[in-house]
Amino acid sequence: MTCGDTEIKELLPAFSEQSLGPAEMKRVNAHLALCAECRDEFALLRMLVDDVVPDPGGAYWSTLPDRVFKQVQEERSRKRFAGFAWRRLFPAVPRWAWASSAAVLVAVIAWLSFHPAPAVREPAEGTDQVALDDAMIDEQLDVAELTAPELTAMTQWAENAYTPINEAVDEELAERTEQDLSDELGNLSASELDRLLDSLKRKEQDARDKARKSNREKGIG
Amino acid sequence: MDEDLDLINRTEAGERDAFNELVLKYQRPLYSLLYRMVSNHEDASDILQKTFVKAFIGLGAFERRSSFKTWLYQIAINLAKNVYRDRSRAVHIPIDDVVIRKDPRTLDALIRKENRQMLNQSLSSLPEKQRLTLMLRVQEEKKFDEIAGIMGCTVGTAKANYHHAVQKLKALMGKPAEEPVQGAQG
């Protein structure tokens, strides 16, 4: 037969611990006298309650707070030292900065693996200049990423390549300015002459700007 | 509860006496629970110390919404679970060494010992939540709302776990020897 008195069943642990009030003790006692199932359950609970844990002794209990305190102090100083050492090496670097640095590093490695740096030939015998591989000249290069010897070599290459062209242009311009244009100029009206003069001034200014820019770039190189 | 909060605040402020008082207050009930979970002093003692250390190191993270006692029990149970699982897998109870003597007192003691061994074996075979609930309710004298807080479940679930644990234990133990009902009255 199954006992459906859940209230009594819930009281059984407290009954076995003898922690119920007198009225409830009496009520449970009366129920147990009639209900075999609850008596079995009560006997089981008594076995559990009577299963006493061995006492490790007074010395164990009295020294435990000190042992715990000591271990807490050790743990704290260990954690503090670990944090301190890390902070000392990298003071006040926030987490986002570490994350950003890692992302940039990954991006640089990825870029380098697809865009190898230009190969640099060993200096020719008897000279201390570094030369660039011709094949690499055609590739797009990021000047900021070149080393000092590579940059020097690149500047030298640019000067060698563009000097003949500049000289040819200069010669042509010189020839043109030596031509006699008095007939053509004589046919122009005053306003046309003014516009021509303005146009020449602008061209002269543009040429000066270009020359200045070119000199500046060479100066940086 | 209020007393605990006061002790915690004083501990955080660096009062050593308050720290000691908290340890002294909870060391015995926690040890008792842990011993029942792991069945030996060395592990119980080790886990007990770890429980306090973990609690005091993480005191800043303790949300004052629940009681300190519940929080401590949760830490202890979580730390003990792994050890308890290993122990329950390795439970070996020799019952062949039961020697029946003519002295009825010795016989009674041996029967009790055998019953106790059977009880421990049966307890070990219960599902973890049921076993813990039964231990907390019967052996640690916790109320169901406290058990619910410690186990992180509802009061109804705690009651159900307790009920299932008792039923399974009864089935595993057979019919335990009845003890006189008057015994409960002291």
Side-chain angles (χ1 to χ4, degrees):
Chain A
M1 198 180 84
T2 306
C3 176
D5 196 335
T6 52
E7 227 177 288
I8 291 289
K9 283 181 185 293
E10 283 187 17
L11 289 174
L12 282 180
F15 180 78
S16 60
E17 293 151 11
Q18 302 169 44
S19 57
L20 291 177
E24 281 176 324
M25 288 294 276
K26 197 175 170 184
R27 186 180 156 203
V28 176
N29 257 322
H31 180 86
L32 290 180
L34 300 170
C35 179
E37 188 191 321
C38 286
R39 275 203 303 277
D40 288 349
E41 195 164 315
F42 168 67
L44 191 68
L45 297 180
R46 278 301 297 266
M47 277 181 75
L48 285 167
V49 170
D50 291 345
D51 188 20
V52 180
V53 171
D55 193 327
Y60 175 80
W61 297 125
S62 60
T63 56
L64 186 65
D66 282 346
R67 280 181 280 135
V68 172
F69 186 79
K70 195 181 165 195
Q71 203 178 335
V72 168
Q73 297 297 94
E74 283 171 5
E75 281 288 313
R76 280 188 179 147
S77 61
R78 194 179 57 77
K79 281 187 178 177
R80 208 176 296 132
F81 177 76
F84 175 73
W86 190 247
R87 285 280 167 205
R88 203 173 166 189
L89 282 172
F90 304 100
V93 178
R95 280 185 182 178
W96 63 262
W98 289 111
S100 308
S101 306
V104 169
L105 189 64
V106 168
V108 167
I109 291 168
W111 190 89
L112 284 175
S113 60
F114 288 105
H115 301 82
V120 177
R121 281 202 300 267
E122 287 300 313
E125 213 169 312
T127 170
D128 57 357
Q129 285 201 328
V130 177
L132 291 173
D133 245 354
D134 292 341
M136 292 299 171
I137 301 300
D138 295 333
E139 290 189 16
Q140 284 195 339
L141 292 174
D142 188 346
V143 177
E145 291 198 11
L146 295 177
T147 61
E150 285 171 347
L151 204 56
T152 309
M154 179 66 83
T155 311
Q156 188 60 52
W157 173 84
E159 279 177 6
N160 293 341
Y162 286 107
T163 300
I165 300 169
N166 283 339
E167 285 172 359
V169 170
D170 288 344
E171 278 173 18
E172 191 185 348
L173 286 172
E175 278 174 17
R176 280 190 184 177
T177 49
E178 283 169 10
Q179 283 177 8
D180 188 4
L181 301 171
S182 54
D183 290 342
E184 284 88 339
L185 292 172
N187 294 329
L188 295 175
S189 64
S191 60
E192 283 173 331
L193 280 171
D194 287 341
R195 285 207 300 276
L196 179 63
L197 186 62
D198 290 340
S199 170
L200 285 171
K201 279 180 179 173
R202 279 200 301 276
K203 283 181 186 295
E204 185 188 11
Q205 190 56 46
D206 289 344
R208 281 180 198 281
D209 290 342
K210 276 183 185 174
R212 215 176 287 130
K213 193 179 172 186
S214 171
N215 287 338
R216 232 188 352 255
E217 283 176 358
K218 282 182 181 176
I220 291 167
Chain B
M1 178 67 182
D2 290 338
E3 186 197 9
D4 281 359
L5 281 180
D6 178 51
L7 289 171
I8 289 165
N9 291 336
R10 283 166 51 203
T11 299
E12 281 190 312
E15 268 191 54
R16 180 72 191 276
D17 287 348
F19 173 92
N20 287 356
E21 211 173 316
L22 277 171
V23 177
L24 290 169
K25 185 175 179 181
Y26 290 111
Q27 60 184 9
R28 284 174 188 268
L30 278 175
Y31 177 83
S32 169
L33 172 73
L34 290 168
Y35 186 92
R36 285 192 163 109
M37 285 182 78
V38 298
S39 305
N40 73 85
H41 169 72
E42 286 71 28
D43 284 335
S45 174
D46 184 43
I47 299 166
L48 178 66
Q49 197 160 324
K50 279 181 183 164
T51 300
F52 282 122
V53 171
K54 196 171 180 186
F56 285 118
I57 293 281
L59 210 53
F62 169 58
E63 293 176 12
R64 317 286 166 106
R65 289 198 298 267
S66 62
S67 77
F68 181 67
K69 183 180 168 185
T70 302
W71 191 56
L72 266 183
Y73 270 82
Q74 285 173 339
I75 294 172
I77 287 172
N78 282 332
L79 287 173
K81 268 180 182 172
N82 291 334
V83 180
Y84 159 62
R85 280 172 191 150
D86 292 343
R87 288 280 175 280
S88 62
R89 274 187 220 112
V91 163
H92 174 68
I93 298 166
I95 53 172
D96 298 336
D97 61 352
V98 178
V99 182
I100 297 174
R101 304 277 171 84
K102 285 182 179 174
D103 185 344
R105 284 174 299 178
T106 312
L107 180 63
D108 185 54
L110 286 170
I111 290 169
R112 280 176 183 274
K113 186 185 172 190
E114 192 182 0
N115 277 341
R116 212 161 296 284
Q117 286 174 338
M118 267 183 72
L119 179 71
N120 286 332
Q121 196 172 22
S122 303
L123 275 172
S124 300
S125 66
L126 290 179
E128 191 174 84
K129 283 180 184 173
Q130 291 179 16
R131 176 185 146 107
L132 275 169
T133 305
L134 186 68
M135 277 166 41
L136 287 166
R137 180 71 191 98
V138 180
Q139 295 173 316
E140 304 304 321
E141 303 174 25
K142 297 278 173 283
K143 292 179 176 139
F144 280 118
D145 56 345
E146 281 183 286
I147 297 169
I150 292 166
M151 303 290 289
C153 64
T154 62
V155 173
T157 305
K159 283 184 179 178
N161 280 334
Y162 169 78
H163 176 72
H164 290 309
V166 170
Q167 296 311 310
K168 278 187 190 169
L169 204 58
K170 271 162 76 175
L172 287 164
M173 292 285 291
K175 188 177 179 179
E178 275 191 31
E179 296 198 14
V181 173
Q182 292 301 317
Q185 290 175 318

PDB file of all heavy atoms in Angstrom, chain A residues 82-109:
ATOM      1  N   ALA A  82      51.676  38.283 -10.766  1.00  0.00           N
ATOM      2  CA  ALA A  82      51.479  37.957 -12.188  1.00  0.00           C
ATOM      3  C   ALA A  82      50.978  39.183 -12.932  1.00  0.00           C
ATOM      4  O   ALA A  82      51.482  39.538 -14.002  1.00  0.00           O
ATOM      5  CB  ALA A  82      50.509  36.802 -12.328  1.00  0.00           C
ATOM      6  N   GLY A  83      50.015  39.872 -12.359  1.00  0.00           N
ATOM      7  CA  GLY A  83      49.466  41.084 -12.982  1.00  0.00           C
ATOM      8  C   GLY A  83      50.483  42.187 -13.027  1.00  0.00           C
ATOM      9  O   GLY A  83      50.640  42.882 -14.037  1.00  0.00           O
ATOM     10  N   PHE A  84      51.257  42.329 -11.950  1.00  0.00           N
ATOM     11  CA  PHE A  84      52.257  43.392 -11.861  1.00  0.00           C
ATOM     12  C   PHE A  84      53.342  43.215 -12.913  1.00  0.00           C
ATOM     13  O   PHE A  84      53.717  44.149 -13.602  1.00  0.00           O
ATOM     14  CB  PHE A  84      52.859  43.373 -10.455  1.00  0.00           C
ATOM     15  CG  PHE A  84      53.990  44.344 -10.271  1.00  0.00           C
ATOM     16  CD1 PHE A  84      53.747  45.703 -10.195  1.00  0.00           C
ATOM     17  CD2 PHE A  84      55.301  43.895 -10.168  1.00  0.00           C
ATOM     18  CE1 PHE A  84      54.785  46.590 -10.025  1.00  0.00           C
ATOM     19  CE2 PHE A  84      56.342  44.778  -9.999  1.00  0.00           C
ATOM     20  CZ  PHE A  84      56.087  46.132  -9.932  1.00  0.00           C
ATOM     21  N   ALA A  85      53.843  41.978 -13.041  1.00  0.00           N
ATOM     22  CA  ALA A  85      54.914  41.706 -14.002  1.00  0.00           C
ATOM     23  C   ALA A  85      54.463  42.027 -15.422  1.00  0.00           C
ATOM     24  O   ALA A  85      55.188  42.642 -16.199  1.00  0.00           O
ATOM     25  CB  ALA A  85      55.325  40.244 -13.898  1.00  0.00           C
ATOM     26  N   TRP A  86      53.265  41.662 -15.729  1.00  0.00           N
ATOM     27  CA  TRP A  86      52.722  41.903 -17.070  1.00  0.00           C
ATOM     28  C   TRP A  86      52.572  43.394 -17.321  1.00  0.00           C
ATOM     29  O   TRP A  86      52.942  43.912 -18.363  1.00  0.00           O
ATOM     30  CB  TRP A  86      51.382  41.185 -17.167  1.00  0.00           C
ATOM     31  CG  TRP A  86      50.834  41.159 -18.547  1.00  0.00           C
ATOM     32  CD1 TRP A  86      49.712  41.792 -18.993  1.00  0.00           C
ATOM     33  CD2 TRP A  86      51.367  40.465 -19.685  1.00  0.00           C
ATOM     34  NE1 TRP A  86      49.516  41.530 -20.325  1.00  0.00           N
ATOM     35  CE2 TRP A  86      50.527  40.718 -20.782  1.00  0.00           C
ATOM     36  CE3 TRP A  86      52.488  39.657 -19.870  1.00  0.00           C
ATOM     37  CZ2 TRP A  86      50.772  40.204 -22.032  1.00  0.00           C
ATOM     38  CZ3 TRP A  86      52.718  39.144 -21.138  1.00  0.00           C
ATOM     39  CH2 TRP A  86      51.866  39.412 -22.187  1.00  0.00           C
ATOM     40  N   ARG A  87      52.032  44.107 -16.287  1.00  0.00           N
ATOM     41  CA  ARG A  87      51.824  45.551 -16.419  1.00  0.00           C
ATOM     42  C   ARG A  87      53.146  46.297 -16.509  1.00  0.00           C
ATOM     43  O   ARG A  87      53.240  47.343 -17.135  1.00  0.00           O
ATOM     44  CB  ARG A  87      51.036  46.072 -15.213  1.00  0.00           C
ATOM     45  CG  ARG A  87      49.585  45.712 -15.280  1.00  0.00           C
ATOM     46  CD  ARG A  87      48.862  46.664 -16.196  1.00  0.00           C
ATOM     47  NE  ARG A  87      47.542  46.159 -16.502  1.00  0.00           N
ATOM     48  CZ  ARG A  87      46.872  46.476 -17.584  1.00  0.00           C
ATOM     49  NH1 ARG A  87      47.398  47.260 -18.479  1.00  0.00           N
ATOM     50  NH2 ARG A  87      45.682  45.999 -17.796  1.00  0.00           N
ATOM     51  N   ARG A  88      54.143  45.744 -15.809  1.00  0.00           N
ATOM     52  CA  ARG A  88      55.425  46.426 -15.805  1.00  0.00           C
ATOM     53  C   ARG A  88      56.061  46.373 -17.193  1.00  0.00           C
ATOM     54  O   ARG A  88      56.698  47.323 -17.643  1.00  0.00           O
ATOM     55  CB  ARG A  88      56.337  45.725 -14.791  1.00  0.00           C
ATOM     56  CG  ARG A  88      57.441  46.609 -14.302  1.00  0.00           C
ATOM     57  CD  ARG A  88      58.171  45.907 -13.198  1.00  0.00           C
ATOM     58  NE  ARG A  88      59.420  46.571 -12.914  1.00  0.00           N
ATOM     59  CZ  ARG A  88      60.341  46.074 -12.105  1.00  0.00           C
ATOM     60  NH1 ARG A  88      60.122  44.950 -11.502  1.00  0.00           N
ATOM     61  NH2 ARG A  88      61.453  46.723 -11.893  1.00  0.00           N
ATOM     62  N   LEU A  89      55.886  45.239 -17.849  1.00  0.00           N
ATOM     63  CA  LEU A  89      56.435  45.115 -19.192  1.00  0.00           C
ATOM     64  C   LEU A  89      55.671  45.971 -20.189  1.00  0.00           C
ATOM     65  O   LEU A  89      56.243  46.602 -21.069  1.00  0.00           O
ATOM     66  CB  LEU A  89      56.376  43.642 -19.646  1.00  0.00           C
ATOM     67  CG  LEU A  89      57.456  42.720 -19.081  1.00  0.00           C
ATOM     68  CD1 LEU A  89      57.148  41.287 -19.454  1.00  0.00           C
ATOM     69  CD2 LEU A  89      58.823  43.115 -19.596  1.00  0.00           C
ATOM     70  N   PHE A  90      54.375  45.995 -20.041  1.00  0.00           N
ATOM     71  CA  PHE A  90      53.528  46.750 -20.977  1.00  0.00           C
ATOM     72  C   PHE A  90      52.581  47.643 -20.183  1.00  0.00           C
ATOM     73  O   PHE A  90      51.421  47.308 -19.999  1.00  0.00           O
ATOM     74  CB  PHE A  90      52.721  45.792 -21.857  1.00  0.00           C
ATOM     75  CG  PHE A  90      53.588  44.823 -22.600  1.00  0.00           C
ATOM     76  CD1 PHE A  90      53.746  43.529 -22.134  1.00  0.00           C
ATOM     77  CD2 PHE A  90      54.264  45.198 -23.742  1.00  0.00           C
ATOM     78  CE1 PHE A  90      54.551  42.624 -22.794  1.00  0.00           C
ATOM     79  CE2 PHE A  90      55.062  44.300 -24.408  1.00  0.00           C
ATOM     80  CZ  PHE A  90      55.209  43.013 -23.937  1.00  0.00           C
ATOM     81  N   PRO A  91      53.076  48.779 -19.680  1.00  0.00           N
ATOM     82  CA  PRO A  91      52.249  49.602 -18.799  1.00  0.00           C
ATOM     83  C   PRO A  91      51.061  50.209 -19.524  1.00  0.00           C
ATOM     84  O   PRO A  91      51.197  50.727 -20.629  1.00  0.00           O
ATOM     85  CB  PRO A  91      53.218  50.691 -18.316  1.00  0.00           C
ATOM     86  CG  PRO A  91      54.304  50.705 -19.337  1.00  0.00           C
ATOM     87  CD  PRO A  91      54.391  49.358 -19.928  1.00  0.00           C
ATOM     88  N   ALA A  92      49.929  50.119 -18.879  1.00  0.00           N
ATOM     89  CA  ALA A  92      48.709  50.806 -19.314  1.00  0.00           C
ATOM     90  C   ALA A  92      48.336  50.549 -20.762  1.00  0.00           C
ATOM     91  O   ALA A  92      47.907  51.440 -21.480  1.00  0.00           O
ATOM     92  CB  ALA A  92      48.849  52.303 -19.079  1.00  0.00           C
ATOM     93  N   VAL A  93      48.552  49.334 -21.216  1.00  0.00           N
ATOM     94  CA  VAL A  93      48.111  48.999 -22.585  1.00  0.00           C
ATOM     95  C   VAL A  93      46.732  48.368 -22.474  1.00  0.00           C
ATOM     96  O   VAL A  93      46.591  47.284 -21.916  1.00  0.00           O
ATOM     97  CB  VAL A  93      49.088  48.020 -23.268  1.00  0.00           C
ATOM     98  CG1 VAL A  93      48.586  47.647 -24.646  1.00  0.00           C
ATOM     99  CG2 VAL A  93      50.470  48.647 -23.357  1.00  0.00           C
ATOM    100  N   PRO A  94      45.707  49.055 -22.986  1.00  0.00           N
ATOM    101  CA  PRO A  94      44.366  48.483 -22.852  1.00  0.00           C
ATOM    102  C   PRO A  94      44.189  47.271 -23.758  1.00  0.00           C
ATOM    103  O   PRO A  94      44.952  47.063 -24.700  1.00  0.00           O
ATOM    104  CB  PRO A  94      43.449  49.628 -23.286  1.00  0.00           C
ATOM    105  CG  PRO A  94      44.303  50.519 -24.097  1.00  0.00           C
ATOM    106  CD  PRO A  94      45.713  50.349 -23.656  1.00  0.00           C
ATOM    107  N   ARG A  95      43.141  46.493 -23.451  1.00  0.00           N
ATOM    108  CA  ARG A  95      42.905  45.253 -24.207  1.00  0.00           C
ATOM    109  C   ARG A  95      42.671  45.517 -25.682  1.00  0.00           C
ATOM    110  O   ARG A  95      43.122  44.776 -26.533  1.00  0.00           O
ATOM    111  CB  ARG A  95      41.695  44.519 -23.624  1.00  0.00           C
ATOM    112  CG  ARG A  95      42.041  43.736 -22.399  1.00  0.00           C
ATOM    113  CD  ARG A  95      40.855  42.953 -21.936  1.00  0.00           C
ATOM    114  NE  ARG A  95      41.168  42.227 -20.709  1.00  0.00           N
ATOM    115  CZ  ARG A  95      40.333  41.494 -20.050  1.00  0.00           C
ATOM    116  NH1 ARG A  95      39.110  41.343 -20.481  1.00  0.00           N
ATOM    117  NH2 ARG A  95      40.680  40.877 -18.958  1.00  0.00           N
ATOM    118  N   TRP A  96      41.940  46.611 -25.963  1.00  0.00           N
ATOM    119  CA  TRP A  96      41.632  46.869 -27.378  1.00  0.00           C
ATOM    120  C   TRP A  96      42.903  47.110 -28.182  1.00  0.00           C
ATOM    121  O   TRP A  96      42.991  46.797 -29.362  1.00  0.00           O
ATOM    122  CB  TRP A  96      40.654  48.039 -27.510  1.00  0.00           C
ATOM    123  CG  TRP A  96      41.177  49.359 -27.006  1.00  0.00           C
ATOM    124  CD1 TRP A  96      40.940  49.923 -25.800  1.00  0.00           C
ATOM    125  CD2 TRP A  96      42.024  50.283 -27.709  1.00  0.00           C
ATOM    126  NE1 TRP A  96      41.584  51.117 -25.681  1.00  0.00           N
ATOM    127  CE2 TRP A  96      42.262  51.376 -26.852  1.00  0.00           C
ATOM    128  CE3 TRP A  96      42.607  50.296 -28.982  1.00  0.00           C
ATOM    129  CZ2 TRP A  96      43.041  52.444 -27.200  1.00  0.00           C
ATOM    130  CZ3 TRP A  96      43.384  51.378 -29.341  1.00  0.00           C
ATOM    131  CH2 TRP A  96      43.597  52.444 -28.464  1.00  0.00           C
ATOM    132  N   ALA A  97      43.938  47.666 -27.504  1.00  0.00           N
ATOM    133  CA  ALA A  97      45.194  47.938 -28.200  1.00  0.00           C
ATOM    134  C   ALA A  97      45.882  46.630 -28.581  1.00  0.00           C
ATOM    135  O   ALA A  97      46.427  46.494 -29.678  1.00  0.00           O
ATOM    136  CB  ALA A  97      46.104  48.772 -27.315  1.00  0.00           C
ATOM    137  N   TRP A  98      45.816  45.642 -27.646  1.00  0.00           N
ATOM    138  CA  TRP A  98      46.388  44.333 -27.963  1.00  0.00           C
ATOM    139  C   TRP A  98      45.655  43.703 -29.141  1.00  0.00           C
ATOM    140  O   TRP A  98      46.274  43.147 -30.043  1.00  0.00           O
ATOM    141  CB  TRP A  98      46.290  43.395 -26.752  1.00  0.00           C
ATOM    142  CG  TRP A  98      47.221  43.763 -25.645  1.00  0.00           C
ATOM    143  CD1 TRP A  98      46.874  44.262 -24.424  1.00  0.00           C
ATOM    144  CD2 TRP A  98      48.654  43.696 -25.659  1.00  0.00           C
ATOM    145  NE1 TRP A  98      47.998  44.503 -23.682  1.00  0.00           N
ATOM    146  CE2 TRP A  98      49.110  44.167 -24.403  1.00  0.00           C
ATOM    147  CE3 TRP A  98      49.594  43.280 -26.610  1.00  0.00           C
ATOM    148  CZ2 TRP A  98      50.451  44.230 -24.078  1.00  0.00           C
ATOM    149  CZ3 TRP A  98      50.930  43.349 -26.276  1.00  0.00           C
ATOM    150  CH2 TRP A  98      51.348  43.823 -25.026  1.00  0.00           C
ATOM    151  N   ALA A  99      44.339  43.816 -29.123  1.00  0.00           N
ATOM    152  CA  ALA A  99      43.532  43.220 -30.193  1.00  0.00           C
ATOM    153  C   ALA A  99      43.850  43.888 -31.528  1.00  0.00           C
ATOM    154  O   ALA A  99      44.023  43.226 -32.554  1.00  0.00           O
ATOM    155  CB  ALA A  99      42.053  43.365 -29.860  1.00  0.00           C
ATOM    156  N   SER A 100      43.953  45.233 -31.524  1.00  0.00           N
ATOM    157  CA  SER A 100      44.246  45.967 -32.757  1.00  0.00           C
ATOM    158  C   SER A 100      45.617  45.579 -33.299  1.00  0.00           C
ATOM    159  O   SER A 100      45.790  45.361 -34.496  1.00  0.00           O
ATOM    160  CB  SER A 100      44.215  47.467 -32.503  1.00  0.00           C
ATOM    161  OG  SER A 100      43.028  47.822 -31.887  1.00  0.00           O
ATOM    162  N   SER A 101      46.600  45.493 -32.368  1.00  0.00           N
ATOM    163  CA  SER A 101      47.962  45.146 -32.793  1.00  0.00           C
ATOM    164  C   SER A 101      47.989  43.771 -33.454  1.00  0.00           C
ATOM    165  O   SER A 101      48.637  43.575 -34.481  1.00  0.00           O
ATOM    166  CB  SER A 101      48.905  45.128 -31.592  1.00  0.00           C
ATOM    167  OG  SER A 101      48.822  46.340 -30.917  1.00  0.00           O
ATOM    168  N   ALA A 102      47.259  42.847 -32.842  1.00  0.00           N
ATOM    169  CA  ALA A 102      47.217  41.494 -33.394  1.00  0.00           C
ATOM    170  C   ALA A 102      46.605  41.507 -34.789  1.00  0.00           C
ATOM    171  O   ALA A 102      47.110  40.849 -35.709  1.00  0.00           O
ATOM    172  CB  ALA A 102      46.411  40.586 -32.468  1.00  0.00           C
ATOM    173  N   ALA A 103      45.523  42.285 -34.961  1.00  0.00           N
ATOM    174  CA  ALA A 103      44.847  42.357 -36.259  1.00  0.00           C
ATOM    175  C   ALA A 103      45.786  42.952 -37.312  1.00  0.00           C
ATOM    176  O   ALA A 103      45.888  42.458 -38.444  1.00  0.00           O
ATOM    177  CB  ALA A 103      43.582  43.199 -36.143  1.00  0.00           C
ATOM    178  N   VAL A 104      46.508  44.022 -36.949  1.00  0.00           N
ATOM    179  CA  VAL A 104      47.442  44.665 -37.882  1.00  0.00           C
ATOM    180  C   VAL A 104      48.549  43.695 -38.263  1.00  0.00           C
ATOM    181  O   VAL A 104      48.915  43.577 -39.437  1.00  0.00           O
ATOM    182  CB  VAL A 104      48.019  45.956 -37.247  1.00  0.00           C
ATOM    183  CG1 VAL A 104      49.194  46.481 -38.075  1.00  0.00           C
ATOM    184  CG2 VAL A 104      46.932  47.015 -37.142  1.00  0.00           C
ATOM    185  N   LEU A 105      49.063  42.966 -37.267  1.00  0.00           N
ATOM    186  CA  LEU A 105      50.141  42.013 -37.510  1.00  0.00           C
ATOM    187  C   LEU A 105      49.699  40.946 -38.511  1.00  0.00           C
ATOM    188  O   LEU A 105      50.420  40.621 -39.460  1.00  0.00           O
ATOM    189  CB  LEU A 105      50.555  41.360 -36.186  1.00  0.00           C
ATOM    190  CG  LEU A 105      51.810  40.487 -36.235  1.00  0.00           C
ATOM    191  CD1 LEU A 105      53.025  41.329 -36.589  1.00  0.00           C
ATOM    192  CD2 LEU A 105      52.027  39.785 -34.912  1.00  0.00           C
ATOM    193  N   VAL A 106      48.493  40.446 -38.315  1.00  0.00           N
ATOM    194  CA  VAL A 106      47.948  39.421 -39.216  1.00  0.00           C
ATOM    195  C   VAL A 106      47.822  39.992 -40.630  1.00  0.00           C
ATOM    196  O   VAL A 106      48.197  39.351 -41.620  1.00  0.00           O
ATOM    197  CB  VAL A 106      46.579  38.911 -38.701  1.00  0.00           C
ATOM    198  CG1 VAL A 106      45.880  38.072 -39.756  1.00  0.00           C
ATOM    199  CG2 VAL A 106      46.770  38.097 -37.428  1.00  0.00           C
ATOM    200  N   ALA A 107      47.323  41.240 -40.713  1.00  0.00           N
ATOM    201  CA  ALA A 107      47.139  41.872 -42.018  1.00  0.00           C
ATOM    202  C   ALA A 107      48.481  42.047 -42.720  1.00  0.00           C
ATOM    203  O   ALA A 107      48.613  41.784 -43.926  1.00  0.00           O
ATOM    204  CB  ALA A 107      46.451  43.227 -41.836  1.00  0.00           C
ATOM    205  N   VAL A 108      49.514  42.473 -41.985  1.00  0.00           N
ATOM    206  CA  VAL A 108      50.843  42.692 -42.577  1.00  0.00           C
ATOM    207  C   VAL A 108      51.416  41.379 -43.089  1.00  0.00           C
ATOM    208  O   VAL A 108      51.936  41.308 -44.210  1.00  0.00           O
ATOM    209  CB  VAL A 108      51.788  43.341 -41.536  1.00  0.00           C
ATOM    210  CG1 VAL A 108      53.235  43.275 -42.006  1.00  0.00           C
ATOM    211  CG2 VAL A 108      51.370  44.777 -41.283  1.00  0.00           C
ATOM    212  N   ILE A 109      51.280  40.320 -42.255  1.00  0.00           N
ATOM    213  CA  ILE A 109      51.802  39.003 -42.666  1.00  0.00           C
ATOM    214  C   ILE A 109      51.091  38.524 -43.929  1.00  0.00           C
ATOM    215  O   ILE A 109      51.717  38.045 -44.871  1.00  0.00           O
ATOM    216  CB  ILE A 109      51.654  37.975 -41.515  1.00  0.00           C
ATOM    217  CG1 ILE A 109      52.610  38.346 -40.372  1.00  0.00           C
ATOM    218  CG2 ILE A 109      51.931  36.551 -41.998  1.00  0.00           C
ATOM    219  CD1 ILE A 109      52.362  37.597 -39.085  1.00  0.00           C
TER     220      ILE A 109
END
